[in-house]
Structure formats: structure tokens, C-alpha cells
Amino acid sequence: MHDDRNLVEARLKRVLDERVRPAVHPESVPLEVAVWNAPGEPVPVAEGLAAEPEPIEVGARWGAPWGTSWFRVSGTVPQAWAGKTVEAILDLGFDENMPGFQCEGLVYRPDGTPVKGLNPRNQWVRVGAPVEGGEEVVLHVEAASNPVILDYHPFLPTQLGDKETAGTEPQYTLTRMDLAVFDETVWQLVLDLEVLGELMAELPVDSARRWDILRALEKALDAIDLQDVNGSAERARSQLTGVLAAPAVPSAHRISAVGHAHIDSAWLWPLRETVRKVARTTSNMTALLEDEPEFVFAMSQAQQWAWVKEHRPEVWAKVKKAVADGRFVPAGGMWVESDTNMPGSEAMARQFVHGKRFFIDEFGIENDEAWLPDTFGFAAGLPQIIKAAGSKWLLTQKISWSQTNKFPHHTFRWEGIDGTRIFTHFPPVDTYNCSMKGSEIAHAARNFKDKGVARHSLAPTGWGDGGGGTTREMIAKAARLRDLEGSATVGWETPREFFEKAEAEYPEPPVWVGELYLELHRATLTSQAQTKQGNRRSEHLLREAELWAATAAVRTGFPYPYEELDRIWKTVLLHQFHDILPGSSIAWVHREARRTYARLAEELTGIIDAAQRALAGEGTTSLVFNAAPHTRAGIPAGGAGETAADGETVVTAREGGGHVLDNGLLRIGIDARGLVVSAYDIEADRESVAPGRAANLLQLHADFPNMWDAWDVDEFYRNTVTDLTDVDEVVPEGSGVRITRTFGASRVTQVLSLAPGERRLLVDTEVDWHETEKFLKLAFPLDVHAERYASETQFGHFHRPTHTNTSWEAAKFEACNHRFVHLEEPGWGVAVVNDSTYGHDVTRTVRTDGDRGTTTTVRVSLLRAPRFPDPETDQGVHRFQHALVPGAGIGDAVREGWRINVPERRLAGAGEVAPLVTVDRDAVVVTAVKLADDGSGDVVVRFHEAHGGRARATLTAGFEVAGVTATDLLERPLAEAEAPAPELTGHQVALRLRPFELVTLRFRRA
């Protein structure tokens, strides 16, 4: 037989595009359209419905950037359509390739009842099925003219990302506003042809099944009367019955489809627009659930559910009913789909506390899965946090974006720093916006790496990023793929149903140990420095506020600010969303974030001050409050008292220019360029700075990645570097030296100081930054031979290699740390600590002094200047603090990391304040002291082993204790099998902790 595949396939495409799809709506009449443009921000629904619109014609331009237009469409169903299904086709000017990324609408009835959302892949509104003819139709559309930021030529700088700079030029052309007959038979034919055509294209050319489909399609095309598609559609469908009925082979891959609409809580749109995106999507999904009995939809991010409840109560009522029916499923158990690299220990825990508690309180549902399809890599401390929250599974997809190395598993157990293992799944479909295309389904089956031992995978199905969700076309395709020869099988299931099946069939999957590093989007550890600083400082202020408020509540009856702390925590958690904290959102988002963080800092400082005043009492004694988890200058952790001066620092001239700082513990040599050429540990008789090198070296790189400007830094950035050694002045200042440099259009002022009695060189850097597409680093070349280094993460630290033996190691050329990195030779090490930066790199170099040993350079990432999506990223003044700590063990790194982030506070009072709780070993770090969230007055203490070894310690309560219970993160008692009952003797609890073990204790007050 002659090979006519290409001929038939080309015929199928043209007939579908030009004849069959247009025949889905064979008859139409125009609707009358009028519009009212809201003058500013979005208005309440009642106001939009009551406004008096003005006529507008199809073809007219509408919609200033970020504006809201209320369209009223009205018309009469023709009598001739009696008995037919009729829909309104409302095309606001959509580009079908951009669902979620452009204009959208929410349709209402005149009484304010929401009907469904409109987006580029969902333009229809059902009017009647069947109609009687003569019905009057009136619909209102709340249309958002969100500008297209990520266009066909992506990453071009644009001012559209902020309402203050976007202008008023209309963005869209009103394209179609019609009533139309909906021919379901033709619509079903479209889906038949699409599913078979897409499946055929994925089958081997020499397979019989491919040719069976080809011949059936040819017969169907022959059966279509191109001048009467509607009259011949049923005949054409009959030619496809046989090939659509052929069952899948028993070994076919099995896909659990989960209805999904990954909605970024902010990204190329502001937070306020996400509120409306969620309303549109949930309206669509509740309507679809009513029409499709097998469909299941899952939505994560408790914050988005809370927005619906607060802002769209009429939509919330439908959502609650669908949840009660088991079809609309809360997923993930987190407040938002957060970044997991940068949030601190407590913040990562609270993501689960607030997320899970919302779903429990609202629906009585507890999630067993963490749901993070789009997060940019996963910190090594996350598994035990998931377990401590009462969950046991993790889903993500983003690791498939890695540029260099292909991850070896799709289903596996992920082991964290303490040994906790979490059953984890990466959907092999490689998208969290699956649309049920044949290419996607075939890719999932081919790509699945666990063939032979497992057969199940998950496909999050629906338009996402900007929302929209699953469509009726996706559901129709899934129905055809339920049991179809040549394809994987597809069925709708909840995340729980998928994970139960996957874990049952694969009880002993392979294990991956350590972080799940994404080999992409590394620059998100640095972009938008002020957003990152706001997050870090908010986390520590929250810890302080809880600590002092709890202490004051127990000691003085101070009113514990439950509601304020709950609200502030939720705001901070929201801003940890994986495009806000990473710095990859538009300018509007980060402008608002800066204002929000400033407001929260003022509120939290007020709570701290009020609690401390209640504790200090009236008096003139100068008290120092120490909120850090370690004793500082004789002041116990969580207490307050007087401190005394400890020695002095001498500043002298350095031979050859510059200055020397000496406090008897360290001797720091600063040359005439303001560079640290010596950091000498006097007691250890050991130099820290690599020979012939200089620390505190600012280095400037060109930074123009191939894609994803705010997200990416590509390895070739290292090919060019400028050492910023020119200096304007180097002058003594107090116990240190002040250095000023100018470069390009920017200016840097640094103060290097060595406080009396301290083993750390403090580097205070202020940058007035006005560069473009540049990357600023701060380098510390250290005379330490280290094959690995420690990087702090949630509730501990983990090690990364300093070498690049393999492609996996080489790919980690930019990585995340929290408060410190630490490297050491046996018996002696160095830490670099920070107050607000995350990105860094560590490299090895052979010494140049003939010693043949190696040195190790730590470089801290300070600032970038990408131009997309925010063309003014990081322009302006920034201040950072870092410290170099020679002679540091891992315990010193932990302690100094806390010290630089939690400064002491001074207040006059009556006398010392004893801590509410104390721990007698530095290795046990208390991360939270608070009152229980249920208002019982119980004291909750959370702590972990921080040095990476086993620890015995005693925790002492500074109050009368009636009992103590080990709990999960939600402060619920753990079963004896999960955690032995704490050993309470009087006020004391004996602790035995394994490396990095996380523990929460709840003390009942007597």
C-alpha cells in the first residue's frame, strides 16, 4: 500500500480548522453591548452592576492597563432556535495562546449571581439547553484589562508592570459578543478527531494501531459533507466508533488526572488581581463540576480559599457545597505554594500550620500531601517539616525544568537532613498545565522513569499560572482516554487517591538524600533585595514578638496579641509565595511588598516594646533584652539584664597604608584599598585570608542570562569580572574603618568594625545601586582546605561539595543559605554570616605561595539589575550586614548567625528578667516560644538539634508546670509511637535529640 500518511494528516488538520470547529456554533446573532469603565481600582459587584454603561461596538478598543470594565450584554433568543442549545460567545479580544496572561472576565446575572469565568480558552456561557425561543438574555461581565507582560517576544523591559507607569492606552479589541447555537454532535466530533489524530501522531509509524486510526479518520473525513458539517457529523462519528472502543493493553501506563488551576498568588499581576483570578476560576470549576459527574478538581493555597470566602461569599457558597460533595478538593495544606529555599525554620513550619488549620476549621479536611508543582527547588530540611505537620506525601513538577541533569526518578522517597523520608512524586507529564493533548499523555508514559516497578503517575489538568482551570474539552478528551488502545489510561482522582495507589504499588522506591536543587532560576536567591530583607526581618521580629509577649503574658498578665500575630504571620507567609520572595514578580508587587514589610515591622516593634515594658517594670536600670537562643554578654537567651564592657579594640595605622584592628582575639589588616588582607586568629595562631588574596572584595559581573531575566543567572556570567578596588577614602571610625567607593553610576560605603570581646569582623555595606544587567558579589577568599561546606537551612544545615567533579556538583554554581555558611579543616573553621542575603557561591583554588594546598572562596550575592519583569529592579539604596568569623566551629556559626539577625534591645527598667524557658546546651536551639494558638494559655516551645550531632540537654520552664506533651506543628498531641512522652521532673524536661531532630513541646501551666 502506498504511504499516504502525510496526505491524510494534512487533510485532517485543514478540515478541522476550517470546517468542523467553526460548525460547533453554526448560527449566531449579535448581542447589544454597553460598557462602564471603573474609574480606579475594582469596585464591589453591586456597584459595577448598578453603574450606567454606554454603548460600545464590537471592534472597539477597550481596557486601560490594569483597568476594570463592566460590560452589559443583552439580546433575545430567536424563536427559530426553539429546542436547541444556545450559548453566549463572549470574546473580549482574547489570544487563545495566553490563558491566564491577559484580559479575563467574570460573568454575572443581573441579580449578582456569578455564572462563570471568561478566558482565552473558555469564552462560552450556557443560556439554555434546550431553549424555548424568545428568552431575554442579560449578562454582566466584570472584565479585567490586565496587560500582557510576557509576550511573544518575552523578557523585553516594559513599564506595564506597575499601574503607576503603565499609561492609559487601551489594550484590547472587543472581538465577538453573540448568541449562538451550540451543536453538541459537532463538538463531540471535534474531540473524536482531535484525540485520535493526536494519538496517531504519537504511535510508531510501523504500528498497526496507527494505520487503523489513519484509515478510520480517512473514512470519517469522507463522511463529512463540507457544505453541511452539522448534518453529516453523526455519520462521521459513526466511522470512528470502532477505533475509539478498542481497549488499552493491560500494561498501559495509568494517569490520575486531577483538575487543577495553578494560580500564582502574585506574579505578572498584583495581589488584588489574584483575588479576582481565584473567583473566576472557582466559578468556572463549580459550574463544571455540576455538568461533569466524574470530574474532580483540587485547589491548593489556603490563602486563595480565604480570599474567596472574604471577597466573593456567593462563590464561596458554591465552593463549600462542592467540597462537601467530595469533588472540590483542598490540596497541599500550606498557606501558599511558597518558595522553600529561603523561608526560615519557623516560617516554613507556619506555612503548614496556617494552611492545614484553615482546611481543618473550614471543612474538617486534613491534607496528607504537600502540593508544590511550581516551586524553584526544595531545601533539605523540608521532609521533617512535612512530617511534623502531620503530612506524608509531596508533589512537585518544577525539577523537570533543570537545565543540566535529568532527575533519575519520578516516584521516590526523599530523605531530609534528620533522616525523615517523604514519599514524593514528579509528574512525568512535565507540566502542571496539562490539557490532555495526545503529545502530553504519550510523553508521560514514555518519560516515566519507574517502569517495570510502578505504573501510576499524576497529571494536574487545567490552565494555570494565571488561572482558568480545567475545560469541558479536557474532560471530554479524558473520557475518550479512559481505556483507549495505544494510549495511557486516564481517570479522574483526588491527590489522596493517587498517592494511596502509587505508594501501595511501589512500597520500596529509591531514596534521594539532600536538597532537591533546581538547575535553573538560581538568581531568585538575589533579585529584589528589599523583598528578601523584609522577609528575613519580619521572620525574626515575629519570633521576638511571640517570645516577649508570651513571657509577659505568663509573668505579668500582658494581653497576648493572638489576632494580631495570626494576621501578621499570614501576611508574611503570603509574601513567601514562589514569585514574590524570589523577586520574579512585576514592579507593582514588590512596591507593595516593601510598604507591607515596613508596616509589619512597625506593628511588631510595637508589640515587642509593649511586652518588654511590661516585663521591665518601672526603674532606671539599663536592661539589655536578648531574644537570641544563646546567652549573649552574660544575658541568658530570652532574658534581660545588665551587661558590662568587655575589653577594647585598638585601631592603628598599617605599614604600607591602611589600618589594623585588634581586640586581643582577632587582628584585622585592612590595606589602603579598603580590602581585608589579614584576618588573624590570635589564639589559634592562624591566618584566615588566603595568601596573596584579599577579602571584603566587591566584584562586579555582567549579567544577561539567555532567558528569564529576574529568575536566572547563567554560568557564563563568571567569564567576565571587575574587581572593585578603586577607593575614594579609607578612614578610621570608632572601632573600625569606613570605606567609600564609586563605580559606574553607583556608590558603596562600608564600615568594617571589630567590637571588643567579639571574634567576628562585622562588614556593614551600604550600596546606592544604579547599574543595569550587573551582578554584585562580595568575596572572602579563605585559607581553608575544604572539600565541602555547611549551609544553614530550616532546622539545621547540610553540606555541599566545593568541587565540581560531576555535572550535578558543577550545576550548583549558585546556591541558597540562610544565616551562615561554614567551612573547616579538622579543629579550625571559618563562618560567613549575614543578616538578609541568601545567594552565594563557594569555589576552590590552588594556593599561589608554593604551598600547593587549596584555598576556598565564599562569595555572597548582594545585588542584581535585571530589566524584566521589573525594569527598575533593585535601583536605589540598600544596606547589608555580614560578618567574617575566624576560628568558628559549626556551633559558632549557628550562634553568630542568630546574633547578626537578632540585635539586642535596650530599655530602662526595675531589674533583670528571667527567661520563660532555658536550655542548658547550645546545640539545642529554641526557634519559638509562644502561647498555644487555641487561647488556652499553654506555653509552646519548639526547638531542634542544630549542630548535626546527638544532644542531651535539659529544658527548664521558668513557670509552674502542670504537665507537658509532645505535639506536632499544629500543637496537637503526638501518639506514643511517634514520640515518647517527655520526661518531666518538676520544672525540667530531659531531652535526648538525634541530629537535627525537631521537637515541639506544649506546657500546661499550673
Side-chain angles (χ1 to χ4, degrees):
M1 180 180 286
H2 296 296
D3 186 348
D4 60 350
R5 287 179 302 110
N6 293 338
L7 190 67
V8 177
E9 290 167 6
R11 180 187 179 193
L12 173 64
K13 182 179 185 307
R14 185 175 185 191
V15 171
L16 258 175
D17 288 345
E18 297 184 24
R19 293 291 190 272
V20 184
R21 289 194 185 99
V24 170
H25 292 100
E27 300 176 72
S28 63
V29 295
L31 289 160
E32 291 185 8
V33 190
V35 65
W36 174 74
N37 297 309
E41 283 295 278
V43 299
V45 173
E47 185 177 341
L49 294 175
E52 190 59 41
E54 297 181 353
I56 185 174
E57 298 294 328
V58 168
R61 300 284 289 172
W62 72 278
W66 306 114
T68 301
S69 298
W70 282 85
F71 291 96
R72 185 182 68 196
V73 297
S74 57
T76 304
V77 176
Q79 289 289 350
W81 292 359
K84 297 182 179 181
T85 297
V86 175
E87 296 180 339
I89 307 300
L90 307 178
D91 186 342
L92 301 174
F94 296 127
D95 178 341
E96 68 171 15
N97 295 317
M98 292 190 176
F101 290 93
Q102 53 170 226
C103 60
E104 299 170 30
L106 182 54
V107 180
Y108 296 89
R109 294 189 179 93
D111 65 359
T113 303
V115 180
K116 68 187 296 285
L118 297 176
N119 63 61
R121 297 295 181 102
N122 211 326
Q123 303 176 21
W124 59 274
V125 180
R126 183 62 56 87
V127 170
V131 296
E132 295 180 358
E135 292 94 335
E136 295 297 322
V137 177
V138 179
L139 297 171
H140 297 260
V141 181
E142 180 190 15
S145 50
N146 302 330
V148 176
I149 306 295
L150 191 66
D151 214 334
Y152 285 100
H153 193 313
F155 318 125
L156 289 179
T158 175
Q159 296 295 327
L160 291 172
D162 195 330
K163 193 172 184 179
E164 294 183 354
T165 60
T168 59
E169 187 69 22
Q171 301 289 292
Y172 296 101
T173 300
L174 201 61
T175 301
R176 185 180 182 186
M177 293 279 170
D178 288 347
L179 285 178
V181 172
F182 174 72
D183 188 329
E184 183 166 357
T185 301
V186 175
W187 182 79
Q188 295 285 4
L189 176 61
V190 170
L191 275 301
D192 291 344
L193 295 173
E194 285 184 355
V195 166
L196 289 170
E198 291 166 1
L199 172 60
M200 178 178 65
E202 299 300 323
L203 295 171
V205 172
D206 58 359
S207 72
R209 175 65 170 164
R210 178 161 181 161
W211 287 90
D212 286 345
I213 294 173
L214 184 81
R215 292 303 163 220
L217 287 170
E218 186 175 38
K219 291 177 182 177
L221 293 171
D222 289 342
I224 296 172
D225 182 344
L226 298 182
Q227 277 65 52
D228 185 15
V229 173
N230 301 86
S232 57
E234 191 62 54
R235 183 170 68 246
R237 290 198 73 200
S238 69
Q239 299 297 322
L240 303 174
T241 304
V243 287
L244 284 170
V249 297
S251 61
H253 185 67
R254 296 170 186 172
I255 293 176
S256 297
V258 179
H260 186 237
H262 170 70
I263 303 178
D264 288 312
S265 290
W267 180 28
L268 304 180
W269 45 86
L271 287 167
R272 67 90 154 143
E273 191 55 32
T274 312
V275 175
R276 302 200 297 174
K277 283 178 174 286
V278 174
R280 296 173 200 129
T281 298
T282 51
S283 295
N284 264 350
M285 296 303 98
T286 52
L288 200 57
L289 287 166
E290 292 176 2
D291 295 338
E292 302 290 346
E294 295 186 1
F295 177 50
V296 175
F297 182 76
M299 189 168 90
S300 66
Q301 307 192 73
Q303 171 69 87
Q304 295 186 1
W305 293 72
W307 279 333
V308 178
K309 181 181 180 182
E310 178 184 358
H311 296 282
R312 289 289 195 272
E314 66 282 4
V315 180
W316 178 250
K318 292 184 176 183
V319 168
K320 286 197 73 171
K321 180 182 182 303
V323 173
D325 293 340
R327 315 256 321 280
F328 198 124
V329 182
M334 295 176 67
W335 191 247
V336 295
E337 289 182 14
S338 72
D339 179 80
T340 75
N341 286 312
M342 291 176 282
S345 302
E346 272 304 305
M348 200 74 254
R350 305 298 175 96
Q351 285 286 353
F352 289 91
V353 169
H354 286 283
K356 296 193 77 168
R357 188 172 287 144
F358 182 90
F359 293 142
I360 291 169
D361 291 347
E362 293 292 338
F363 307 115
I365 291 173
E366 180 160 4
N367 299 102
D368 286 324
E369 78 288 339
W371 182 276
L372 290 163
D374 190 29
T375 297
F376 309 154
F378 298 87
L382 188 57
Q384 75 164 328
I385 298 173
I386 294 173
K387 183 178 180 181
S391 298
K392 57 185 178 181
W393 302 315
L394 169 66
L395 178 134
T396 185
Q397 183 273 318
K398 199 70 169 192
I399 299 298
S400 69
W401 285 40
S402 285
Q403 290 176 311
T404 305
N405 298 286
K406 193 79 170 174
F407 198 81
H409 319 295
H410 281 108
T411 302
F412 61 100
R413 291 200 187 275
W414 177 29
E415 181 177 316
I417 56 175
D418 76 320
T420 297
R421 292 180 176 180
I422 294 294
F423 188 84
T424 303
H425 181 68
F426 292 169
V429 70
D430 281 350
T431 178
Y432 44 82
N433 296 321
C434 177
S435 62
M436 287 290 137
K437 287 194 299 189
S439 57
E440 294 170 337
I441 302 305
H443 175 74
R446 284 195 299 262
N447 188 41
F448 188 56
K449 297 193 182 309
D450 303 290
K451 299 182 187 76
V453 287
R455 190 173 293 169
H456 283 81
S457 73
L458 186 146
T461 302
W463 300 115
D465 290 316
T470 317
T471 65
R472 61 184 180 183
E473 289 77 16
M474 296 174 193
I475 294 174
K477 284 189 170 185
R480 288 159 172 79
L481 297 170
R482 184 183 296 112
D483 188 14
L484 184 61
E485 183 185 355
S487 172
T489 65
V490 176
W492 296 102
E493 291 188 312
T494 66
R496 174 186 292 274
E497 288 169 335
F498 161 74
F499 273 109
E500 286 176 344
K501 289 180 180 179
E503 194 167 25
E505 78 170 359
Y506 203 11
E508 296 297 330
V511 175
W512 182 272
V513 178
E515 68 180 328
L516 294 171
Y517 179 91
L518 176 63
E519 297 170 354
L520 193 75
H521 293 358
R522 303 167 180 89
T524 57
L525 303 172
T526 305
S527 297
Q528 299 287 0
Q530 290 180 347
T531 299
K532 291 169 171 58
Q533 288 180 330
N535 173 73
R536 177 78 70 86
R537 289 166 186 172
S538 295
E539 289 179 351
H540 287 97
L541 285 169
L542 274 162
R543 181 185 182 278
E544 281 196 81
E546 289 182 339
L547 168 67
W548 298 125
T551 305
V554 173
R555 294 279 166 71
T556 74
F558 178 81
Y560 191 80
Y562 290 101
E563 292 183 3
E564 293 91 333
L565 290 172
D566 180 78
R567 172 178 49 79
I568 293 170
W569 262 119
K570 288 173 179 174
T571 303
V572 172
L573 298 178
L574 166 59
H575 285 78
Q576 291 177 339
F577 179 75
H578 65 251
D579 279 305
I580 304 179
L581 179 54
S584 47
S585 291
I586 55 175
W588 189 346
V589 173
H590 293 289
R591 170 171 58 81
E592 286 190 333
R594 291 190 292 270
R595 293 174 182 172
T596 298
Y597 285 130
R599 185 182 74 250
L600 297 183
E602 185 176 354
E603 277 193 79
L604 290 167
T605 301
I607 293 171
I608 292 166
D609 183 67
Q612 289 180 339
R613 289 185 184 281
L615 288 165
E618 297 295 329
T620 58
T621 302
S622 178
L623 298 177
V624 173
F625 282 78
N626 174 24
H630 307 93
T631 298
R632 180 186 297 176
I635 307 298
E642 299 180 79
T643 60
D646 186 11
E648 64 174 343
T649 298
V650 178
V651 182
T652 59
R654 175 179 174 273
E655 186 177 348
H659 305 273
V660 175
L661 315 180
D662 192 328
N663 67 357
L665 299 173
L666 298 178
R667 186 162 59 245
I668 308 298
I670 302 168
D671 70 7
R673 302 170 298 172
L675 303 180
V676 176
V677 291
S678 176
Y680 191 73
D681 181 344
I682 294 172
E683 180 181 357
D685 189 23
R686 174 76 185 259
E687 176 60 62
S688 304
V689 179
R693 305 287 299 280
N696 189 45
L697 175 64
L698 289 163
Q699 295 184 301
L700 192 65
H701 295 269
D703 183 19
F704 189 63
N706 290 343
M707 298 176 66
W708 300 107
D709 296 39
W711 294 257
D712 284 358
V713 56
D714 289 329
E715 192 172 15
F716 55 73
Y717 89 92
R718 290 178 169 177
N719 295 350
T720 56
V721 60
T722 300
D723 291 345
L724 302 179
T725 57
D726 292 343
V727 67
D728 299 337
E729 66 173 359
V730 180
V731 295
E733 183 174 282
S735 59
V737 173
R738 178 163 50 83
I739 303 142
T740 306
R741 309 180 194 279
T742 52
F743 61 93
S746 302
R747 179 184 180 89
V748 176
T749 301
Q750 290 184 300
V751 176
L752 308 186
S753 59
L754 183 62
E758 294 186 3
R759 302 178 59 87
R760 62 171 188 164
L761 172 67
L762 188 63
V763 182
D764 195 320
T765 304
E766 182 178 280
V767 187
D768 189 3
W769 178 248
H770 297 284
E771 304 307 302
T772 299
E773 293 164 353
K774 295 289 191 292
F775 195 5
L776 184 64
K777 291 261 188 177
L778 179 62
F780 297 91
L782 303 171
D783 195 11
V784 178
H785 175 89
E787 293 184 0
R788 66 177 193 170
Y789 72 97
S791 173
E792 189 186 32
T793 189
Q794 293 101 1
F795 298 112
H797 60 267
F798 70 106
H799 291 93
R800 295 188 183 97
T802 60
H803 57 75
T804 55
N805 284 356
T806 71
S807 58
W808 292 86
E809 292 145 356
K812 296 182 181 182
F813 59 82
E814 184 79 4
C816 182
N817 68 282
H818 286 190
R819 288 167 291 223
F820 70 80
V821 294
H822 176 259
L823 49 151
E824 65 179 343
E825 298 170 3
W828 193 86
V830 181
V832 177
V833 302
N834 71 82
D835 76 339
S836 59
T837 57
Y838 296 91
H840 69 278
D841 67 86
V842 178
T843 54
R844 304 170 82 239
T845 308
V846 175
R847 287 175 57 150
T848 58
D849 62 352
D851 187 80
R852 298 197 309 276
T854 59
T855 63
T856 310
T857 298
V858 176
R859 296 200 309 161
V860 175
S861 302
L862 297 183
L863 290 164
R864 299 183 66 239
R867 300 188 66 207
F868 182 88
D870 176 4
E872 303 298 321
T873 302
D874 281 334
Q875 301 299 295
V877 177
H878 306 268
R879 185 174 178 181
F880 308 95
Q881 280 197 331
H882 296 84
L884 179 69
V885 191
I890 194 67
D892 301 305
V894 173
R895 185 179 61 253
E896 293 298 335
W898 276 98
R899 176 194 291 263
I900 201 171
N901 281 275
V902 185
E904 61 190 25
R905 297 180 185 271
R906 295 182 178 272
L907 189 68
E912 69 178 37
V913 177
L916 197 59
V917 295
T918 58
V919 182
D920 64 356
R921 184 166 177 181
D922 271 3
V924 179
V925 170
V926 175
T927 59
V929 177
K930 60 190 288 293
L931 295 193
D933 291 341
D934 61 8
S936 62
D938 291 357
V939 176
V940 173
V941 183
R942 188 151 34 248
F943 52 89
H944 69 287
E945 196 289 318
H947 294 182
R950 296 188 180 270
R952 288 192 177 191
T954 300
L955 186 151
T956 303
F959 54 92
E960 293 299 319
V961 177
V964 61
T965 307
T967 74
D968 65 6
L969 294 179
L970 277 71
E971 302 169 8
R972 303 173 299 190
L974 293 172
E976 182 71 21
E978 297 176 277
E983 302 173 22
L984 178 64
T985 305
H987 296 80
Q988 295 185 328
V989 178
L991 306 175
R992 294 188 178 188
L993 302 181
R994 66 177 183 273
F996 300 127
E997 183 177 0
L998 167 63
V999 177
T1000 304
L1001 295 182
R1002 179 170 178 154
F1003 290 86
R1004 191 171 73 257
R1005 291 155 59 191

